[in-house]
Amino acid sequence: MSFLGLSSRSPLSLNAGAACGVFQLTLGLIGVFRPQVMLQEIWGFKLSSKPSQELLLIECLQQLYGIRNIALGLMILAVRTFADSRTLGWVLMTDMLVAFGDGIIQKKGTGGGEWKHWSFIPVGVGMGALLLGYFD
């Protein structure tokens, strides 16, 4: 059996992989429609109460982040719907690069909170391995 030839036969693992996409889609929607909530509650930034050009820029960047998460979430759901478990497994494991990068950015920007993102890395890698058939 080749390294890339494995795949899971479990429909439960496919649906759990799709749940990762729904989670990411939800974060994206919050980022687009409630950028201040995402910035303050998820990312931990303290925002000024005075409207300014900088606050507008920060909110716009948060909305871009939200759109990225919506696209990633929909991609995961599309792969779940139209592809096999191997593809979904590799997509979920590759998506963990986003969680790793987000953790680095949060640590740089707020001085902490990186584990809000990094805690998903073992989940994504585990889901990817499950979908690749390593636990069948």
Side-chain angles (χ1 to χ4, degrees):
M1 185 176 308
S2 73
F3 178 67
L4 296 175
L6 293 174
S7 66
S8 175
R9 292 178 193 79
S10 167
L12 179 61
S13 65
L14 289 168
N15 292 333
C20 294
V22 171
F23 176 73
Q24 196 150 16
L25 179 63
T26 302
L27 285 177
L29 290 170
I30 294 169
V32 169
F33 294 110
R34 302 288 309 266
Q36 289 202 0
V37 169
M38 193 70 157
L39 286 164
Q40 292 174 337
E41 300 300 322
I42 304 298
W43 284 92
F45 285 104
K46 308 295 181 224
L47 300 178
S48 170
S49 60
K50 297 183 227 172
S52 68
Q53 188 66 24
E54 291 160 348
L55 183 58
L56 178 62
L57 173 65
I58 291 168
E59 286 184 4
C60 289
L61 289 173
Q62 176 57 54
Q63 289 173 321
L64 285 172
Y65 168 81
I67 291 169
R68 176 200 72 175
N69 276 353
I70 290 171
L72 289 171
L74 290 174
M75 176 189 61
I76 291 168
L77 293 174
V79 169
R80 162 57 182 102
T81 303
F82 301 112
D84 63 2
S85 66
R86 271 186 312 193
T87 307
L88 183 56
W90 282 110
V91 166
L92 287 175
M93 289 187 7
T94 305
D95 191 36
M96 293 305 98
L97 293 172
V98 173
F100 181 73
D102 287 351
I104 291 171
I105 302 284
Q106 175 140 14
K107 174 83 170 159
K108 177 182 175 184
T110 64
E114 65 274 13
W115 283 101
K116 291 180 190 177
H117 307 277
W118 292 350
S119 63
F120 290 103
I121 293 173
V123 174
V125 171
M127 283 299 309
L130 175 69
L131 288 160
L132 289 170
Y134 284 103
F135 300 115
D136 281 352

